[in-house]
C-alpha cells in the first residue's frame, strides 16, 4: 500500500507512552529502510501523555508491505506503550524482472507522439551497482541513455552536434543498489530537461540547438539490443526489477504482459520481482564487531563478503590460524585494502590491494579504528552466514550491530556545498572542497572577493584587474573587471570587440551585425549596474556617405541594442527620447541642419563620438548600421568598455538616534545558509544590530559589551552563541566590519581582522532556520536594547538592504552617517590629508611629494647632464634688502626653522653627485651628496661663522644603479637619518640649532659656486644624472611643483628633466625607460582626423600610408624641438623677472610658507617616532 500518514497514542489509562521513535519500512521484511523527515534525521517526536493523538502526514509518501516502529525514548515513569494508526491507499503495481541479459524494445506509433514533450516514469530496485535502464537513439549519434553507474543514476544527453566536446551528463541519486524501490521521472521539452530521482530534481538546458524529442521511434528498457550496441556504450544490461514503467502515459509492462506487437521482448523477462532478498547489517560505531566461528580442523581461512562505507580507514577482518600458527588482518587504509600476514618467528608479510610496491604513502601505515559501514552476503568457508540467526543469538556474538538494514546515510545528497564546491563525507559528517570556486567557508557559501571596485579602493588597493562579486554569497559568480582608482572607483568591463569594426555592404546585401560579448554575464552585469551610481559607454563612429537616419522624415537606419535586447535610436547622453548625437545636444555639429555629423552625408570621413549613460539600457550588445548599400558608403566604429563608478550599497547607511528606534524589512529567508555582513560605529556600550524571530527559532547580532560582539540563533537544537572579544573596545566611533554566517555545518563570526570564531552544528540535529517576523535593524521587537550609532552596507545573503530609503520615513533614524576619516584616514599616505565626502573620503595630496587617489604614486623625474630643478622659497629683492637693514634684522630674528623633515629617493651611477641642496640668505645650508666613493654624506651648516657638520654614512656604494631612499628628520641639534628603511642613525649638530632664512632648494646642477664647502661645490658642479623621486622638504615638493600643472610658479627647470613613471622601473642604471619618460617641456601635437585605420586589403595602400606616417613623424619631431627651445627661453626669462614688487609681499609669503612648514614638521616628528 501507499503510506501517507501515521498517528500514535499512549497506552490507555496508563503512564506508558513513547516520546520519540523511528519509522522503518520494507517490501520483503528482511531488508529495512528508515523513513527520514527532512527537518529531523533522528525520526519522529512522539507523545507527551497517554491520551492525546500525535498525527504526521508523510511528505513524500512511500510504498511498502511492512512497517516497523522503533521506540527511542519513553516516559521515564512508565514503560513503552503505543497505539498506532496508519493511513494510506491501495497501490497498483505492474512489475518486470530483468536478469542482466534481457531487455524490452518499445516501438511507438508516430501519429500518437507528442512532438514537443516526452515523459518517462518508472521505479526500479536492484543490488547491482551498474546497468543501463533505458536507451534511445537518433541520427548523427544523437541519443538519450539512463545508466546506473556505481550506485548513481546518470542521464547522458548527446545532441549529435560534432562541435560540442562531449555529451551532457546529469547525475542524481546515491546508494541506489540497496534493493529498495527508487522512482525516476524524465521530462523532455525540446532542449529543456527535468530529471528527478526520488525527491531530488535537476533542471537543465542541454547544449546545442537540436531537440531531444527528435529521435527514433524506438526506445529500449533494461539494456541496449545487441545490434544497436556501440563502442560508446559497452556496459552491461540492468539486473533487477522495474515497476510501473510508462512512456507518455503508456504502460509498457502491461503491453509486454499482453504480448502486444509494439513491445519486443528479448531474453528472459518475468513479470514478477523474484529478486532474492539479502539481509545487510550495519556497524554503527568504531566499537562495533561481529565474531563468527571459523572452520574447525583446517589451517586455512576463507571469507567472502561485500562491504560499503564512507570512511577511508577501518578494520574489516581479523583471524588466527589453528594452534596459533599465525594470523591475518584485513584493513581498509586510505581507501585501499591491505592484508597483513604474520607467523611466529617470521616478519609480517603484507598483501595490499591498491598500494604500489615500496609505497611511501603514509596512509598505508597509519593506525586504524574499527570499521563503520555495512556488510552483506557473508560466507565463511563454503557456508553462507544467516544474519537472522545472528540476530536471534543462535550464531556468533556482536556489539553495536544493526541487522536487517543498511543505515548508511549519503550526507552529500542533497549536497549542501554551494557554488560548485565538491562534497565528500565520512560516516558521521561531510566536508566541502571549495578550491577554485571563489568561495570559502564550511559549505563554500561566502565569497572571497570584494563586492565592488569601491570596496577594493577603500582597502587601499591600486588600479588593476580584480575579481568582484556583486551579489556576495548569492548565485552569481565573481567577474573579472578592471578597477581604475581615481578620486572615485571606476569599474571597467571589457568585451570582445574593442578593435575598430568596419561595416561595408557587399553585392547589395546588408552587412551582418556585430554582437558584443562581455567578460561578465548579463546577470552579473545587471548586478554591477544596479549597485553603482553612474554608468557610461563611449561609441565612436567614422562615416562616409552613411547616415544614422533618413533626411526626409528622420527614420532611423542605424541603431544599437542594449542589455534587455531592446532597440535604441538615441546617440548621446542619458536622454532616451532625444534622437541626437552629442554634437546635436551641444549645438556644434559640422552642419547645423543635422543633429549628427554622419547625417550630413558627406563624401569624406566624418566622425561622431557619443557617450551613452542611461544605465538601464547599458551595456551595448549590438550595433546595426544599415545605410551602407550606396556607392562609396562605409562606416567604422569603436565601442569602448562599460564604465561604472561608485557603489551606492557600500556607503548606504543609517544613524540610529534613540534606543527605541529601528528599521524593519521583510522576513529574512536563510533556511539552510544565512550570512549577515555590515559596518557599524558607535560610542554606546551595547545594542542589538539585527534581529529576526520565528515561533521558536531566531537570529540576532548584537554588541553585548564594549569589546564583545555576539551572534546568537536557534534552529530547533537550543540557543547557540558565537562571540568575538576584542582587546580594544568597539565603541570608539570608528567603522568596524561584522560578518556572521550560519549553515548546516557550523556558525561563524568575524569582526574586522580579529580571529574568526566558530561553533560546530550538531551532526544530526535540526538544520532549517524558520523565521516569520519582520527583520529588525538597529533594534528589537520589544523596543529594548536598541542600538545607538550608525550601520552601513548591510547585506543578507548577498542582498543589499536600502537603509537610507527606509530611514527617510522612520522617526528616530536619519539617512547617512558622517565621519569616515577616523576609519579610512590611514589610506592617505605620504603626508596626504583625509577629506570627508558624503560617501567616503578623498585624499588631499597638496602637501605630499606623491599624488594619486591615496598619495601613493611617486613623482619621479630623470635628470640629464647639467639639468636642475630650483624651488625658490622666497623671491629676494637685493635692492630692497640693501636699503632696509631693519627688514634684514626682522627676517633673521622672526623666521627661523628649529626642525624640518626631508625625504628623497634616487637611482644613479654617477659619483660624486648632488642629491639635494637647501640654501639660505645667510650662507647656511643643507646638502646631501654622494661622495666620490659612492657613500652618502649629509652636511649641515646652521651658523655661517662655523664650519659645517659633516656626517659620512659609511654604507655601501649607493651609486650602484639601484633605488635608494633617504629620510632626514632634524629637531634642533638632533638629526635622525634613515637609509633604505632599515639603516638608521642619530647624530648631534655642533654648528647650531636653527636654520635661518631658507632661500631655495636645488636638485641637480648648481649654477654658480654656492656658499658651501668644496665637496658640496664639486658635487654641485657635476650635478645629478639619473632618477629622483618623492623629493620633499617640509611641505615643499619641488618635483611635484615642476611636473604637475597648476602648481605654484616658484620652480625653475633647466636642462633636460623628463617625467618618469617610477624610478624603480627605469631601463637601466642612470637612464630612463623610453616608454616611461616624458620631457617636461614637450607637448603632444594634434593629429588630423582622417580615414580610420581598418584592415586594409591592398598593398599599395599600406605603402602609401607608411610614407605618409614617416613624413608626419618627422614634421612632428621638428615642431616639438622648436616648441621646446622656445619654452625653455620663455621659462628662463619669466623666472628672472618674477620678483615681488614690495617687501611686504615677500615678508608675508615667507611667513606663510614657513609657518605651514613648521606645522607639518611637528606632525612629521610625531609620525617619525
Amino acid at each position: 500500500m501507499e503510506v501517507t500518514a501515521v498517528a500514535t497514542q499512549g497506552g490507555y489509562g496508563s503512564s506508558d507512552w513513547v516520546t520519540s521513535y523511528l519509522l522503518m519500512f520494507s517490501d520483503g521484511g528482511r531488508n529495512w529502510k528508515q523513513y527520514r523527515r527532512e527537518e529531523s534525521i533522528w525520526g519522529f517526536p512522539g507523545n507527551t501523555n497517554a491520551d492525546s493523538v500525535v498525527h504526521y502526514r508523510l511528505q513524500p509518501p512511500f510504498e511498502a508491505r511492512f512497517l516497523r516502529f522503533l521506540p527511542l525514548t519513553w516516559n521515564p515513569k512508565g514503560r513503552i506503550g503505543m497505539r498506532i494508526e496508519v493511513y494510506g491507499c491501495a497501490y497498483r503495481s505492474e512489475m518486470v524482472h530483468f536478469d542482466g541479459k534481457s531487455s524490452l524494445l518499445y516501438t511507438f506509433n508516430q501519429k500518437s507522439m507528442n512532438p514537443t514533450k516526452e515523459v518517462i516514469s518508472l521505479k526500479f530496485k536492484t543490488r547491482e551497482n551498474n546497468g543501463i535502464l533505458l536507451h534511445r537513439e537518433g541520427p548523427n549519434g544523437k541519443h538519450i541513455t539512463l545508466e546506473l553507474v556505481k550506485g548513481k543514476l546518470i542521464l547522458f544527453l548527446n545532441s549529435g552536434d560534432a562541435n560540442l566536446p562531449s555529451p551532457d551528463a546529469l547525475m542524481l541519486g546515491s546508494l541506489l543498489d540497496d534493493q529498495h524501490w527508487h522512482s525516476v521521472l524524465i521530462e523532455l521539452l525540446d532542449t529543456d530537461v527535468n530529471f528527478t530521482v526520488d525527491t531530488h530534481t535537476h533542471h537543465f538546458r542541454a547544449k546545442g540547438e537540436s531537440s531531444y524529442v527528435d529521435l527514433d521511434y524506438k526506445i529500449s528498457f533494461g539494456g541496449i539490443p545487441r545490434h544497436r550496441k556501440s563502442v560508446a556504450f559497452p556496459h552491461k544490461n540492468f539486473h533487477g526489477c522495474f515497476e510501473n514503467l510508462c512512456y507518455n502515459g503508456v504502460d509498457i509492462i502491461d503491453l509486454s504482459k499482453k504480448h502486444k506487437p509494439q513491445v519486443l521482448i528479448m531474453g528472459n523477462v518475468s513479470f514478477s520481482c523474484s529478486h532474492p532478498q539479502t539481509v545487510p547489517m550495519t556497524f554503527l560505531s568504531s566499537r562495533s564487531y561481529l565474531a563468527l566461528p571459523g572452520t574447525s580442523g583446517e589451517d586455512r581461512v576463507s571469507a567472502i563478503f561485500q562491504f560499503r562505507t564512507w570512511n577511508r580507514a577501518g578494520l574489516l577482518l581479523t583471524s588466527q590460524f589453528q594452534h596459533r600458527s599465525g594470523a591475518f588482518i584485513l584493513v581498509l587504509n586510505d581507501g585501499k585494502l591491505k592484508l597483513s600476514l604474520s607467523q611466529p618467528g617470521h616478519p609480517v608479510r603484507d598483501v595490499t590491494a591498491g598500494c604500489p610496491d615500496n609505497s611511501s604513502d603514509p596512509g598505508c601505515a597509519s593506525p586504524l579504528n574499527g570499521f563503520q559501514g555495512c556488510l552483506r552476503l557473508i560466507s565463511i568457508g563454503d557456508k553462507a552466514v544467516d544474519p537472522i540467526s545472528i540476530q536471534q543469538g543462535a550464531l556468533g556474538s556482536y556489539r553495536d550491530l544493526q541487522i536487517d538494514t543498511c543505515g548508511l546515510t549519503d550526507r552529500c545528497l542533497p549536497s549542501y556545498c554551494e557554488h560548485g564546491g565538491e562534497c565528500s563525507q565520512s560516516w558521521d559528517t561531510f566536508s566541502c572542497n571549495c578550491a577554485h570556486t571563489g568561495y570559502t567557508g564550511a559549505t563554500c557559501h561566502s565569497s572571497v572577493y570584494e563586492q565592488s571596485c569601491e570596496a577594493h579602493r577603500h582597502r587601499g588597493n591600486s588600479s588593476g584587474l580584480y575579481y568582484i562579486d556583486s551579489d556576495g554569497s548569492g548565485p552569481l559568480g565573481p567577474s573579472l573587471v578592471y578597477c581604475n582608482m581615481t578620486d572615485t572607483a571606476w569599474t571597467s568591463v571589457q568585451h570582445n570587440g574593442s578593435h575598430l569594426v568596419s561595416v561595408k555592404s557587399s553585392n547589395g546585401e546588408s552587412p551582418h551585425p556585430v554582437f558584443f560579448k562581455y567578460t561578465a554575464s548579463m546577470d552579473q552585469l545587471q548586478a554591477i549596474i544596479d549597485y553603482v551610481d553612474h554608468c557610461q559607454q563611449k561609441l565612436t563612429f567614422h562615416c562616409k556617405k552613411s547616415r544614422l537616419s533618413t533626411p526626409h522624415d528622420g527614420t532611423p537606419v542605424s541603431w544599437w541594442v542594449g542589455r534587455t535586447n531592446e532597440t535604441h535610436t538615441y546617440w548621446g547622453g542619458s536622454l532616451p527620447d532625444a534622437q541626437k548625437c552629442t554634437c546635436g545636444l551641444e549645438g556644434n555639429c559640422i552642419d547645423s541642419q543635422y543633429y549628427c555629423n554622419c547625417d550630413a552625408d558627406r563624401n569624406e570621413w566624418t566622425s561622431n563620438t557619443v557617450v551613452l549613460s542611461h544605465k538601464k539600457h547599458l551595456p551595448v550588445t549590438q550595433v546595426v548600421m544599415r545605410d551602407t548599400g550606396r556607392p562609396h558608403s562605409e562606416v567604422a566604429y569603436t565601442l569602448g568598455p562599460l564604465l561604472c563608478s561608485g557603489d551606492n550599497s557600500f556607503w548606504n547607511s543609517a544613524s540610529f538616534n534613540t534606543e527605541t528606534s529601528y528599521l524593519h524589512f521583510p522576513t529574512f529567508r536563510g533556511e539552510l545558509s544565512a550570512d549577515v555582513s555590515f559596518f557599524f560605529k558607535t560610542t554606546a556600550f551595547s545594542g542589538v544590530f539585527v534581529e529576526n524571530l520565528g515561533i521558536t527559532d531566531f537570529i540576532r547580532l548584537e554588541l553585548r559589551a564594549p569589546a564583545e560582539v555576539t551572534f546568537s540563533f536557534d534552529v530547533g537544537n537550543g540557543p547557540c552563541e558565537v562571540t568575538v572579544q576584542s582587546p580594544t573596545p568597539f565603541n570608539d566611533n570608528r567603522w568596524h566590519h561584522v560578518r556572521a554566517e550560519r549553515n548546516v555545518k557550523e556558525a561563524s563570526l568575524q569582526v574586522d581582522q580579529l580571529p574568526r570564531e566558530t561553533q560546530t552544528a550538531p551532526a544530526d540535529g535540526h538544520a532549517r532556520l524558520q523565521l516569520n517576523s519582520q527583520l529588525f535593524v538597529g533594534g528589537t521587537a520589544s523596543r529594548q536594547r536598541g542600538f545607538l550609532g550608525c550601520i552601513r552596507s548591510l547585506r543578507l545573503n548577498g542582498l543589499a538592504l536600502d537603509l537610507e530609503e527606509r530611514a527617510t520615513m522612520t522617526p528616530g533614524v536619519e539617512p547617512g552617517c558622517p565621519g569616515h576619516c577616523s576609519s579610512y584616514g590611514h589610506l592617505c599616505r605620504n603626508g596626504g590629508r583625509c577629506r570627508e565626502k558624503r560617501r567616503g573620503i578623498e585624499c588631499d595630496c597638496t602637501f605630499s611629494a606623491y599624488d594619486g587617489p591615496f598619495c601613493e604614486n611617486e613623482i619621479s623625474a630623470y635628470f640629464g647632464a647639467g639639468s636642475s630643478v630650483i624651488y625658490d622659497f622666497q623671491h629676494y629683492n637685493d635692492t630692497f634688502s640693501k636699503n632696509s637693514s631693519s627688514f634684514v634684522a626682522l627676517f633673521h630674528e622672526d623666521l627661523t626653522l628649529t626642525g624640518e623633515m626631508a625625504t628623497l629617493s634616487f637611482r644613479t651611477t654617477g659619483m660624486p653627485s648632488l642629491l639635494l641642496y637647501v640654501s639660505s640668505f645667510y650662507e647656511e645650508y643643507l646638502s646631501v651628496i654622494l661622495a666620490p666613493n659612492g657613500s652618502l654624506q649629509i652636511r649641515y651648516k646652521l651658523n655661517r661663522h662655523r664650519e659645517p657638520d659633516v656626517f659620512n654614512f659609511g654604507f655601501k656604494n649607493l651609486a650602484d644603479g639601484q633605488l635608494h631612499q633617504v629620510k632626514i628628520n632634524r629637531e634642533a641639534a638632533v638629526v635622525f637619518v634613515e637609509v633604505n628603511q632599515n639603516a638608521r642613525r642619530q647624530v648631534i649638530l655642533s654648528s647650531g640649532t636653527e636654520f635661518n632664512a631658507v632661500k631655495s632648494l636645488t636638485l641637480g646642477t648648481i649654477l654658480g659656486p654656492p656658499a658651501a664647502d668644496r665637496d658640496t661645490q664639486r658635487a654641485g658642479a657635476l650635478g645629478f644624472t639619473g632618477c629622483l623621486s618623492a623629493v620633499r622638504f617640509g611641505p615643499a615638493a619641488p618635483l611635484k611643483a615642476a611636473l604637475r600643472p597648476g602648481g605654484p610658479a616658484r620652480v625653475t627647470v633647466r636642462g633636460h628633466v623628463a617625467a618618469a613613471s617610477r624610478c624603480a622601473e627605469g631601463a637601466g642604471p642612470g637612464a630612463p625607460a623610453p616608454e616611461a619618460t616624458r620631457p617636461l617641456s614637450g607637448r603632444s601635437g594634434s593629429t588630423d582626423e582622417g580615414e580610420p585605420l581598418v584592415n586594409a586589403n591592398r598593398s599599395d595602400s599600406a605603402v602609401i600610408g607608411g610614407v605618409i606616417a614617416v613624413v608626419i613623424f618627422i614634421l612632428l619631431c621638428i615642431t616639438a624641438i622648436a616648441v621646446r627651445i622656445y619654452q625653455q627661453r620663455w621659462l628662463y626669462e619669466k623666472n628672472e623677472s618674477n620678483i615681488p614688487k614690495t617687501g611686504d609681499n615677500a615678508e608675508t609669503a615667507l611667513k606663510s610658507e614657513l609657518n605651514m612648514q613648521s606645522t607639518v614638521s611637528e606632525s612629521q616628528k610625531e609620525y617619525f617616532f
Side-chain angles (χ1 to χ4, degrees), residues 909-983:
T909 56
M911 49 189 178
S913 295
L914 176 71
L915 302 177
L916 174 73
Y917 179 74
V918 183
S919 65
S920 81
F921 288 101
Y922 292 145
E923 299 181 4
E924 299 176 359
Y925 65 89
L926 161 66
S927 66
V928 182
I929 67 173
L930 292 182
N933 62 357
S935 64
L936 179 69
Q937 290 186 356
I938 298 176
R939 298 165 183 262
Y940 261 107
K941 184 176 182 180
L942 300 185
N943 190 328
R944 60 182 175 180
H945 302 295
R946 295 187 180 182
E947 291 298 316
D949 294 295
V950 181
F951 304 103
N952 192 344
F953 292 85
F955 303 118
K956 66 173 186 176
N957 177 14
L958 299 185
D960 56 359
Q962 302 299 318
L963 185 67
H964 302 284
Q965 300 89 24
V966 178
K967 288 184 180 180
I968 304 170
N969 186 21
R970 183 182 70 87
E971 298 177 12
V974 181
V975 179
F976 301 90
V977 181
E978 180 181 306
V979 179
N980 293 336
Q981 300 179 352
N982 50 27

Side-chain angles (χ1 to χ4, degrees), residues 19 190 201 280 314 383 496 812 898 972 1110 1124 1133:
T19 56
D190 291 332
T201 301
K383 187 176 181 180
N496 61 342
T898 60
V1110 171
R1124 172 181 168 80
E1133 294 175 353

Side-chain angles (χ1 to χ4, degrees), residues 504-511 628-629:
K504 191 173 183 179
S505 300
S506 57
N507 300 326
E509 297 181 358
S510 298
T628 56

Side-chain angles (χ1 to χ4, degrees), residues 6-28:
V6 296
T8 60
Q9 195 176 13
Y12 177 75
S14 69
S15 299
D16 305 334
W17 62 81
V18 172
T19 56
S20 65
Y21 61 92
L22 295 180
L23 177 61
M24 314 283 288
F25 63 93
S26 172
D27 64 344

Side-chain angles (χ1 to χ4, degrees), residues 346-366:
H346 296 276
V348 176
R349 292 178 295 163
D350 291 343
V351 180
T352 304
C355 282
D357 294 337
N358 301 323
S359 173
S360 60
D361 188 346
C364 292
S366 60

Side-chain angles (χ1 to χ4, degrees), residues 25-210:
F25 63 93
S26 172
D27 64 344
R30 293 174 64 86
N31 184 10
W32 294 83
K33 187 174 184 178
Q34 179 184 342
Y35 182 88
R36 301 183 185 275
R37 299 169 64 226
E38 185 175 12
E39 66 273 11
S40 177
I41 198 171
W42 278 117
F44 295 81
N47 300 90
T48 57
N49 55 54
D51 299 322
S52 61
V53 176
V54 179
H55 182 277
Y56 286 105
R57 181 176 297 277
L58 304 177
Q59 291 292 342
F62 60 86
E63 295 78 35
R65 294 178 60 200
F66 300 91
L67 292 180
R68 175 186 288 173
F69 290 82
L70 295 179
L72 297 177
T73 59
W74 51 89
N75 181 19
K77 297 181 180 179
R79 296 177 297 178
I80 296 176
M82 292 186 77
R83 285 178 282 176
I84 298 171
E85 187 168 8
V86 178
Y87 302 85
C89 53
Y91 179 71
R92 178 181 176 272
S93 176
E94 296 281 356
M95 297 190 201
V96 62
H97 177 262
F98 300 96
D99 63 357
K101 300 178 182 178
S102 55
S103 62
L104 299 177
L105 182 63
Y106 172 55
T107 304
F108 41 86
N109 188 351
Q110 180 177 353
K111 296 181 180 180
S112 64
M113 268 200 66
N114 186 338
T116 60
K117 184 177 181 179
E118 292 188 13
V119 179
I120 305 171
S121 63
L122 61 94
K123 287 188 175 182
F124 74 94
K125 76 170 181 177
T126 182
R127 71 178 185 186
E128 303 292 332
N129 60 3
N130 293 290
I132 291 180
L133 277 70
L134 65 88
H135 178 78
R136 185 182 175 193
E137 293 183 357
N140 302 321
K142 181 189 297 186
H143 66 79
I144 297 176
T145 303
L146 180 64
E147 184 176 8
L148 186 67
V149 179
K150 295 182 179 180
K152 299 181 179 181
L153 273 182
I154 302 180
L155 181 63
F156 294 98
L157 302 167
N158 194 329
S159 64
D161 189 348
N163 296 324
L164 296 178
S166 61
D168 297 309
L170 310 182
M171 180 182 295
L172 273 181
S174 177
L175 311 177
L176 300 179
D177 54 341
D178 57 356
Q179 285 195 293
H180 288 283
W181 288 107
H182 299 281
S183 61
V184 178
L185 176 64
I186 302 174
E187 298 174 295
L188 303 174
L189 180 62
D190 291 332
T191 58
D192 291 324
V193 180
N194 292 333
F195 179 37
T196 303
V197 176
D198 294 332
T199 59
H200 308 292
T201 301
H202 197 326
H203 303 281
F204 181 74
R205 172 161 291 182
K207 301 174 184 175
E209 300 179 355
S210 176

